[in-house]
Amino acid sequence: MGWSFELRHANIAAYLTQPNGRVPTLTRAELLEFLSTMEQADKFLISSNRAFIHLFSIYARESSQRLQDDQASHDRPLQASQVKRALADLRGAFQSFDLYLMPVGRQAPGRADAFAEWAAHATSSKVLVLLPTSHNGTKTLDIFDPAPPVQEVAKQPDNWPGMLFWLGTGEATFAPIQQAEAIFIRLKEMLESDAKTLATAINDYNRPAVQERRGRILHLSDLHFGHRDALDREAYLETHLMEIQGDFDRVVITGDLFDDTREEDYRGFFRFWSALQRASSKEPILVLGNHDQRTFGNKLATLGEDYRFLQHLDLSPVVIDGDLQCTFLRFNSSEGGNFARGNISQNQLRDVGTLLDIKRKHHPEIADYPKIALLHHHPYPYAPEEKPVDRRSSSWFRGRESLVELEDSESFLRWCANRDVPLVMHGHKHESRYRAEFIDRTHSAPREITAVGCGTSMGIGGRPQTYNLITWTPDSERWSAQFFSDPGDGSGFHEDKIVLYRGVSL
């Protein structure tokens, strides 16, 4: 059996199959849109059982009516209980299958689609094939509130595009399309076996004999040691990072290490930095923020500047990591700009470029390494209509951008494009963020540059505590970004969003 649906509804589809899955964050408008397509089940379901198709339509209509009866804003997130109540009957119907399949990440109709269509017609009532229908040519796929099966995709960017297999009990594997057909045939033959046997077979595919090498960066930002919130939340963040330390290879912290230019603030950060040092074989890579160099984060001309503690930090502009096959370029975006604004001078850009050329002369292998630019300020302005990564947030990025912006960000982005830098990591705005745009280059075609922003890892000012994990496979030039947050009460970090990308140089 198969079900054709819009790609933007992929995470709702995954949730429907999970008895204990996390409830996705949805607005009333989004859920009504999804249900309206389900009411036309005869157009989207592939099944010889007409009664079953009719039942889906009835459930969808009843769910829509239930939702209409709820007093809820059209464009604000629903409560989890409202979503669960609206989808209860549909979840029961979707969970009647033993095995689920979904093609993920293909950029145009092709082999994955043909195989999925064949599987939908070739399977019995025990298998449901989910068929996303959007083919907009984009290189990226982003999913909010990813369900456990979808999270498996982000862990294996080297297999994208491919086929996702999962069970209602949560076991999942994501395989490249070249292997998916053989996996499906074997799992289909095992459907009459008990659930434990099927789960074991799924898990076996997650332990290949030869696995493509991957690298993972833990991205932290805006720690603001010295702030009361950092004091309250330091132990919780540090404990969590020690639990996941095997999940990343290097730590990057994009500024505002301490809250003010006082010794006790610096000492608080140094304590945390030392703990990260003990937990990893590699020194965390730091960049400076405005709070690390300015009294309370602000200055006017030279008033408020304070650099007393910077001499203790390693701030080399170019860091080569041979294990990750990656070159990090460090920028001090707070060297200029008044108040909380930033600016990167032409002199700094030229100095970083000079040192990069010298390093490349002595280490010719880095010519093929992806380059990642690190700075504190956000290179792309936050648009008022831009939606946050954490969709529970009441913030829509409105605010006085003119007081916190990176001045002449166009020059910095053009430098990155000319230097073939595909990824920029930043902090500053205390909001997790993903944005990609094409930037013009001087002597070649435009270069797409992605900016990944981390919020405040200490949850300053009542914000969620956040961190990002960026994964890539140098050989296959694919990467993914995972955004995690805890609401600040210690209830647990969860994944807000994943972004999958297949680039030219990363």
Side-chain angles (χ1 to χ4, degrees), residues 390-457:
D390 180 0
R391 298 200 295 176
R392 300 162 303 169
S393 172
S394 59
S395 169
W396 290 79
F397 306 133
R398 296 188 179 95
R400 292 181 293 181
E401 185 77 8
S402 61
L403 297 179
V404 297
E405 67 184 351
L406 178 66
E407 297 174 345
D408 198 16
S409 59
E410 295 86 356
S411 293
F412 170 73
L413 288 168
R414 187 165 55 251
W415 187 95
C416 289
N418 285 326
R419 282 287 183 170
D420 203 28
V421 175
L423 178 64
V424 177
M425 297 167 63
H426 69 86
H428 189 48
K429 199 68 181 270
H430 294 190
E431 292 277 0
S432 299
R433 188 208 200 182
Y434 167 90
R435 183 169 171 181
E437 290 189 9
F438 282 93
I439 305 299
D440 288 336
R441 290 192 277 193
T442 306
H443 299 296
S444 55
R447 177 55 154 115
E448 187 174 31
I449 297 179
T450 297
V452 173
C454 182
T456 163
S457 298

Coordinates of all heavy atoms in Angstrom, one line a residue, residues 390-457:
D390 N 13.1 26.9 16.5 CA 12.2 26.3 17.6 C 10.8 27.0 17.4 O 10.7 28.2 17.8 CB 12.8 26.7 19.0 CG 11.9 26.2 20.1 OD1 10.9 25.6 19.8 OD2 12.3 26.4 21.3
R391 N 9.9 26.3 16.9 CA 8.6 26.9 16.5 C 7.7 27.1 17.7 O 6.6 27.7 17.6 CB 7.9 26.0 15.5 CG 8.7 26.0 14.2 CD 7.9 25.6 13.0 NE 7.4 24.2 13.1 CZ 6.5 23.6 12.3 NH1 6.1 24.3 11.2 NH2 6.1 22.4 12.5
R392 N 8.2 26.7 18.9 CA 7.4 27.1 20.1 C 7.8 28.5 20.5 O 7.1 29.1 21.4 CB 7.8 26.2 21.3 CG 7.5 24.7 21.0 CD 8.3 23.9 22.0 NE 9.7 24.1 21.9 CZ 10.6 23.7 22.7 NH1 10.2 22.9 23.8 NH2 11.9 24.0 22.6
S393 N 8.8 29.1 19.9 CA 9.3 30.4 20.3 C 8.2 31.5 20.0 O 7.6 31.4 18.9 CB 10.6 30.7 19.7 OG 11.0 32.1 19.9
S394 N 8.1 32.4 20.8 CA 7.2 33.6 20.5 C 7.9 34.6 19.7 O 7.2 35.6 19.3 CB 6.7 34.2 21.8 OG 7.7 34.7 22.6
S395 N 9.2 34.5 19.5 CA 9.9 35.5 18.8 C 9.9 35.2 17.3 O 10.0 34.1 16.9 CB 11.4 35.5 19.3 OG 12.2 36.3 18.4
W396 N 9.7 36.3 16.5 CA 9.8 36.2 15.1 C 10.9 37.0 14.5 O 10.9 37.6 13.5 CB 8.4 36.6 14.4 CG 7.4 35.6 14.7 CD1 6.7 35.5 15.9 CD2 6.9 34.6 13.9 NE1 5.8 34.4 15.8 CE2 5.9 33.8 14.6 CE3 7.2 34.1 12.6 CZ2 5.3 32.8 14.1 CZ3 6.6 33.1 12.1 CH2 5.6 32.4 12.8
F397 N 12.0 37.1 15.4 CA 13.2 37.8 15.0 C 13.0 39.3 14.8 O 13.8 40.0 14.3 CB 13.8 37.2 13.8 CG 14.1 35.8 13.8 CD1 13.7 35.0 12.8 CD2 14.7 35.2 15.0 CE1 13.9 33.6 12.9 CE2 14.9 33.9 15.0 CZ 14.5 33.0 14.0
R398 N 11.9 39.9 15.3 CA 11.7 41.3 15.2 C 12.6 42.0 16.2 O 12.8 41.5 17.3 CB 10.2 41.7 15.3 CG 9.3 41.2 14.3 CD 7.9 41.7 14.4 NE 7.1 41.2 13.3 CZ 6.3 40.2 13.5 NH1 6.2 39.6 14.6 NH2 5.5 39.8 12.5
G399 N 13.0 43.2 15.9 CA 13.9 43.9 16.9 C 14.7 44.9 16.1 O 14.6 45.1 14.9
R400 N 15.5 45.6 16.9 CA 16.3 46.7 16.2 C 17.6 46.1 15.7 O 18.6 46.1 16.3 CB 16.6 47.8 17.3 CG 15.3 48.5 17.7 CD 15.6 49.6 18.7 NE 16.1 49.0 20.0 CZ 16.4 49.7 21.1 NH1 16.3 51.1 21.0 NH2 16.7 49.1 22.2
E401 N 17.4 45.6 14.5 CA 18.6 44.9 13.8 C 19.7 45.9 13.6 O 20.9 45.5 13.6 CB 18.1 44.4 12.4 CG 19.1 43.6 11.7 CD 19.3 42.2 12.2 OE1 18.6 41.8 13.1 OE2 20.3 41.5 11.7
S402 N 19.4 47.2 13.5 CA 20.5 48.2 13.2 C 21.4 48.3 14.4 O 22.6 48.8 14.2 CB 19.8 49.5 12.9 OG 19.1 50.0 14.1
L403 N 21.1 47.9 15.6 CA 21.9 48.0 16.7 C 22.8 46.8 17.0 O 23.7 46.8 17.8 CB 21.1 48.3 18.0 CG 20.4 49.6 18.0 CD1 19.6 49.8 19.3 CD2 21.3 50.8 17.8
V404 N 22.5 45.7 16.2 CA 23.2 44.4 16.5 C 23.8 43.8 15.2 O 24.4 42.7 15.2 CB 22.3 43.4 17.2 CG1 21.9 43.9 18.6 CG2 21.1 43.0 16.3
E405 N 23.6 44.4 14.1 CA 23.9 43.9 12.8 C 25.4 43.8 12.6 O 26.2 44.4 13.3 CB 23.3 44.7 11.7 CG 23.9 46.1 11.6 CD 23.2 46.9 10.5 OE1 22.4 46.4 9.8 OE2 23.5 48.2 10.5
L406 N 25.8 43.0 11.6 CA 27.2 43.0 11.0 C 27.2 44.0 9.9 O 26.6 43.8 8.9 CB 27.6 41.6 10.5 CG 29.0 41.5 9.9 CD1 30.1 41.7 11.0 CD2 29.2 40.1 9.2
E407 N 27.9 45.1 10.1 CA 28.0 46.2 9.1 C 28.8 45.6 7.9 O 29.7 44.9 8.0 CB 28.8 47.4 9.7 CG 28.1 48.0 10.9 CD 28.9 49.1 11.5 OE1 30.1 49.2 11.2 OE2 28.3 49.9 12.3
D408 N 28.3 46.1 6.7 CA 28.9 45.7 5.5 C 29.1 44.2 5.4 O 30.1 43.6 5.0 CB 30.3 46.4 5.3 CG 30.7 46.3 3.8 OD1 29.9 46.0 2.9 OD2 31.9 46.6 3.6
S409 N 28.0 43.4 5.8 CA 28.1 42.0 5.7 C 28.3 41.5 4.3 O 28.8 40.4 4.0 CB 26.8 41.4 6.3 OG 25.7 41.8 5.6
E410 N 27.8 42.3 3.3 CA 28.0 41.9 1.9 C 29.4 41.7 1.5 O 29.8 40.7 0.8 CB 27.4 43.0 1.0 CG 25.9 43.2 1.1 CD 25.5 44.1 2.2 OE1 26.5 44.6 2.9 OE2 24.3 44.4 2.4
S411 N 30.4 42.5 2.1 CA 31.8 42.4 1.8 C 32.3 41.1 2.3 O 33.1 40.3 1.7 CB 32.6 43.5 2.3 OG 32.3 44.7 1.6
F412 N 31.9 40.7 3.6 CA 32.3 39.5 4.2 C 31.8 38.3 3.4 O 32.6 37.3 3.1 CB 31.8 39.4 5.6 CG 32.0 38.1 6.3 CD1 33.3 37.6 6.7 CD2 30.9 37.2 6.5 CE1 33.5 36.4 7.2 CE2 31.1 36.0 7.1 CZ 32.4 35.6 7.4
L413 N 30.5 38.3 3.0 CA 30.0 37.2 2.3 C 30.6 37.0 0.9 O 30.8 35.9 0.4 CB 28.5 37.3 2.1 CG 27.7 37.1 3.4 CD1 26.2 37.6 3.3 CD2 27.7 35.7 3.9
R414 N 30.9 38.2 0.3 CA 31.6 38.1 -1.0 C 33.0 37.5 -0.9 O 33.4 36.8 -1.8 CB 31.6 39.5 -1.7 CG 32.1 39.5 -3.1 CD 31.8 40.9 -3.8 NE 32.3 42.0 -3.0 CZ 31.5 42.9 -2.3 NH1 30.2 42.7 -2.4 NH2 32.0 43.9 -1.7
W415 N 33.7 37.9 0.2 CA 35.0 37.3 0.4 C 34.9 35.8 0.6 O 35.7 35.0 0.0 CB 35.6 37.9 1.7 CG 37.0 37.5 2.0 CD1 38.2 38.2 1.6 CD2 37.4 36.3 2.7 NE1 39.3 37.5 2.1 CE2 38.9 36.4 2.7 CE3 36.8 35.3 3.3 CZ2 39.6 35.4 3.3 CZ3 37.5 34.3 3.9 CH2 38.9 34.3 3.9
C416 N 33.9 35.3 1.4 CA 33.7 33.9 1.6 C 33.3 33.2 0.2 O 33.8 32.1 0.0 CB 32.5 33.7 2.6 SG 33.0 34.1 4.3
A417 N 32.5 33.9 -0.6 CA 32.2 33.3 -1.9 C 33.4 33.1 -2.8 O 33.6 32.1 -3.4 CB 31.1 34.1 -2.6
N418 N 34.2 34.2 -2.8 CA 35.4 34.1 -3.7 C 36.5 33.1 -3.1 O 37.2 32.6 -3.9 CB 36.1 35.5 -3.7 CG 35.3 36.5 -4.6 OD1 34.8 36.0 -5.6 ND2 35.3 37.7 -4.3
R419 N 36.4 32.9 -1.8 CA 37.3 31.9 -1.2 C 36.7 30.5 -1.2 O 37.3 29.6 -0.6 CB 37.7 32.3 0.2 CG 38.8 33.4 0.2 CD 40.2 32.8 -0.2 NE 41.2 33.8 -0.1 CZ 42.5 33.5 -0.2 NH1 42.9 32.3 -0.4 NH2 43.4 34.5 -0.1
D420 N 35.5 30.4 -1.8 CA 34.8 29.1 -1.9 C 34.5 28.5 -0.5 O 34.8 27.3 -0.2 CB 35.7 28.1 -2.7 CG 34.8 27.0 -3.3 OD1 33.6 27.2 -3.5 OD2 35.3 25.8 -3.5
V421 N 34.0 29.4 0.4 CA 33.6 28.9 1.7 C 32.1 28.6 1.7 O 31.3 29.5 1.5 CB 33.8 30.1 2.8 CG1 33.3 29.7 4.1 CG2 35.3 30.4 2.9
P422 N 31.7 27.4 1.9 CA 30.3 27.0 1.7 C 29.5 27.2 3.0 O 28.2 27.2 3.0 CB 30.3 25.6 1.3 CG 31.6 25.1 2.0 CD 32.5 26.2 2.0
L423 N 30.1 27.3 4.2 CA 29.4 27.2 5.5 C 30.0 28.3 6.4 O 31.2 28.4 6.6 CB 29.6 25.8 6.1 CG 28.9 25.6 7.5 CD1 27.4 25.8 7.4 CD2 29.3 24.3 8.0
V424 N 29.1 29.0 7.1 CA 29.4 30.0 8.1 C 28.7 29.6 9.4 O 27.5 29.4 9.3 CB 29.1 31.4 7.6 CG1 29.4 32.4 8.8 CG2 29.8 31.8 6.4
M425 N 29.4 29.6 10.5 CA 28.8 29.3 11.8 C 28.9 30.6 12.6 O 29.9 31.2 12.7 CB 29.5 28.2 12.5 CG 29.4 26.8 11.7 SD 30.5 25.5 12.3 CE 29.9 25.3 13.9
H426 N 27.8 30.9 13.3 CA 27.7 32.2 14.1 C 26.8 32.0 15.3 O 26.2 31.0 15.5 CB 27.3 33.3 13.2 CG 25.8 33.2 12.8 ND1 24.8 33.7 13.6 CD2 25.2 32.7 11.7 CE1 23.6 33.5 13.0 NE2 23.9 32.8 11.8
G427 N 26.8 33.1 16.1 CA 25.9 33.2 17.2 C 25.2 34.5 17.3 O 24.6 35.0 16.3
H428 N 25.3 35.2 18.5 CA 25.0 36.6 18.7 C 23.5 36.9 18.9 O 23.2 37.6 19.9 CB 25.4 37.5 17.5 CG 25.3 39.0 17.7 ND1 25.8 39.6 18.8 CD2 24.8 40.0 16.9 CE1 25.6 40.9 18.7 NE2 25.0 41.1 17.6
K429 N 22.6 36.4 18.2 CA 21.2 36.8 18.3 C 20.4 36.0 19.3 O 19.2 36.3 19.5 CB 20.5 36.8 16.9 CG 19.2 37.6 16.7 CD 19.5 39.1 16.8 CE 18.2 39.9 16.6 NZ 17.8 40.2 15.3
H430 N 21.0 35.0 19.8 CA 20.3 34.1 20.8 C 19.1 33.4 20.2 O 18.2 33.0 20.9 CB 19.9 34.9 22.0 CG 21.0 35.4 22.9 ND1 20.8 36.0 24.1 CD2 22.3 35.5 22.6 CE1 22.0 36.4 24.6 NE2 22.9 36.1 23.7
E431 N 19.2 33.1 18.9 CA 18.2 32.4 18.2 C 18.9 31.4 17.3 O 19.7 31.8 16.4 CB 17.3 33.3 17.3 CG 16.4 34.2 18.1 CD 15.1 33.6 18.6 OE1 14.9 32.4 18.3 OE2 14.3 34.2 19.3
S432 N 18.5 30.1 17.4 CA 19.1 29.1 16.4 C 18.5 29.4 15.0 O 17.4 29.9 14.9 CB 18.6 27.7 16.8 OG 19.2 27.4 18.1
R433 N 19.4 29.2 14.0 CA 19.0 29.6 12.7 C 19.7 28.9 11.6 O 20.8 28.5 11.7 CB 19.3 31.1 12.6 CG 18.8 31.8 11.3 CD 19.6 32.9 10.9 NE 18.9 33.8 10.1 CZ 19.5 34.9 9.5 NH1 20.7 35.2 9.8 NH2 18.8 35.7 8.7
Y434 N 19.0 28.7 10.4 CA 19.6 28.2 9.2 C 19.1 29.1 8.1 O 17.9 29.4 7.9 CB 19.1 26.8 9.0 CG 19.4 26.2 7.6 CD1 20.6 25.6 7.4 CD2 18.5 26.4 6.5 CE1 20.9 25.1 6.1 CE2 18.8 26.0 5.3 CZ 20.0 25.3 5.0 OH 20.3 24.9 3.8
R435 N 20.1 29.5 7.3 CA 19.7 30.3 6.1 C 20.8 30.1 5.0 O 22.0 30.1 5.3 CB 19.6 31.8 6.4 CG 19.2 32.6 5.3 CD 18.8 34.0 5.7 NE 18.6 34.9 4.6 CZ 18.2 36.2 4.7 NH1 18.1 36.7 6.0 NH2 18.1 37.0 3.7
A436 N 20.4 29.9 3.8 CA 21.3 29.7 2.7 C 20.9 30.7 1.5 O 19.7 30.8 1.2 CB 21.3 28.3 2.2
E437 N 21.9 31.3 0.9 CA 21.7 32.2 -0.2 C 22.9 32.1 -1.2 O 24.0 31.8 -0.8 CB 21.5 33.7 0.2 CG 20.2 33.9 1.0 CD 20.0 35.4 1.2 OE1 20.7 36.2 0.6 OE2 19.0 35.8 1.9
F438 N 22.6 32.4 -2.4 CA 23.7 32.5 -3.4 C 24.3 33.9 -3.4 O 23.6 34.9 -3.5 CB 23.1 32.2 -4.8 CG 22.9 30.7 -5.1 CD1 21.7 30.1 -4.8 CD2 24.0 29.9 -5.5 CE1 21.5 28.8 -5.0 CE2 23.8 28.6 -5.7 CZ 22.6 28.0 -5.5
I439 N 25.6 33.9 -3.3 CA 26.4 35.2 -3.3 C 27.2 35.3 -4.5 O 27.9 34.3 -5.0 CB 27.3 35.2 -2.0 CG1 26.5 34.9 -0.8 CG2 28.1 36.5 -1.9 CD1 25.4 36.0 -0.5
D440 N 27.2 36.5 -5.1 CA 27.9 36.7 -6.4 C 29.4 36.6 -6.1 O 29.9 37.1 -5.1 CB 27.6 38.1 -7.0 CG 26.2 38.1 -7.5 OD1 25.7 37.1 -7.9 OD2 25.6 39.2 -7.6
R441 N 30.2 36.0 -7.1 CA 31.6 36.0 -7.0 C 32.2 36.9 -8.2 O 31.5 37.2 -9.1 CB 32.1 34.6 -7.2 CG 31.8 33.7 -6.0 CD 32.6 32.4 -6.0 NE 31.9 31.4 -6.8 CZ 32.2 30.1 -6.8 NH1 33.1 29.7 -6.0 NH2 31.5 29.3 -7.6
T442 N 33.4 37.3 -8.0 CA 34.1 38.2 -8.9 C 34.3 37.6 -10.3 O 34.0 38.3 -11.3 CB 35.4 38.7 -8.3 OG1 35.2 39.2 -7.0 CG2 36.0 39.8 -9.2
H443 N 34.8 36.4 -10.3 CA 35.2 35.8 -11.6 C 34.6 34.5 -11.9 O 35.1 33.8 -12.8 CB 36.7 35.7 -11.7 CG 37.5 37.0 -11.5 ND1 37.3 38.0 -12.4 CD2 38.3 37.4 -10.5 CE1 38.1 39.0 -12.0 NE2 38.7 38.7 -10.9
S444 N 33.5 34.1 -11.3 CA 32.9 32.8 -11.5 C 31.4 32.9 -11.1 O 30.9 34.0 -10.7 CB 33.6 31.7 -10.8 OG 33.7 32.0 -9.4
A445 N 30.7 31.8 -11.3 CA 29.3 31.7 -11.0 C 29.0 32.0 -9.5 O 29.9 31.7 -8.7 CB 28.7 30.4 -11.4
P446 N 27.8 32.4 -9.1 CA 27.5 32.6 -7.7 C 27.8 31.4 -6.8 O 27.6 30.2 -7.3 CB 26.0 33.0 -7.7 CG 25.8 33.6 -9.1 CD 26.7 32.8 -10.0
R447 N 28.1 31.6 -5.6 CA 28.4 30.5 -4.7 C 27.3 30.5 -3.6 O 27.0 31.5 -3.0 CB 29.8 30.7 -4.0 CG 30.2 29.7 -2.9 CD 30.1 28.3 -3.5 NE 31.0 27.3 -2.9 CZ 30.5 26.3 -2.2 NH1 29.2 26.1 -2.0 NH2 31.3 25.4 -1.8
E448 N 26.7 29.3 -3.3 CA 25.8 29.2 -2.3 C 26.5 29.1 -0.9 O 27.4 28.3 -0.7 CB 24.9 28.0 -2.4 CG 23.7 28.0 -1.4 CD 22.7 26.9 -1.6 OE1 23.1 25.8 -2.1 OE2 21.5 27.0 -1.3
I449 N 26.1 30.0 0.0 CA 26.7 30.0 1.3 C 25.6 29.8 2.4 O 24.6 30.6 2.4 CB 27.5 31.3 1.6 CG1 28.6 31.5 0.6 CG2 28.0 31.4 3.0 CD1 29.4 32.8 0.8
T450 N 25.8 28.8 3.2 CA 24.9 28.5 4.3 C 25.4 29.1 5.6 O 26.5 28.9 5.9 CB 24.7 27.0 4.4 OG1 24.1 26.5 3.2 CG2 23.7 26.7 5.5
A451 N 24.5 29.8 6.3 CA 24.8 30.3 7.7 C 24.0 29.4 8.7 O 22.8 29.4 8.6 CB 24.5 31.7 7.8
V452 N 24.7 28.8 9.6 CA 24.1 28.1 10.7 C 24.4 28.8 12.0 O 25.5 29.0 12.4 CB 24.6 26.6 10.8 CG1 24.1 25.9 12.0 CG2 24.3 25.9 9.5
G453 N 23.3 29.3 12.6 CA 23.4 30.0 13.9 C 23.0 29.2 15.1 O 22.0 28.5 15.0
C454 N 23.8 29.3 16.2 CA 23.4 28.7 17.4 C 22.8 29.7 18.3 O 23.2 30.9 18.3 CB 24.6 28.1 18.1 SG 24.3 27.2 19.6
G455 N 21.8 29.4 19.1 CA 21.2 30.3 20.0 C 22.1 30.6 21.2 O 23.3 30.7 21.1
T456 N 21.6 30.5 22.4 CA 22.4 30.7 23.6 C 22.4 29.4 24.3 O 21.4 28.9 24.8 CB 21.9 31.8 24.5 OG1 22.4 31.7 25.8 CG2 20.3 31.8 24.6
S457 N 23.6 28.8 24.4 CA 23.8 27.5 25.0 C 23.5 27.4 26.5 O 23.3 26.4 27.1 CB 25.2 26.9 24.7 OG 25.4 26.8 23.3

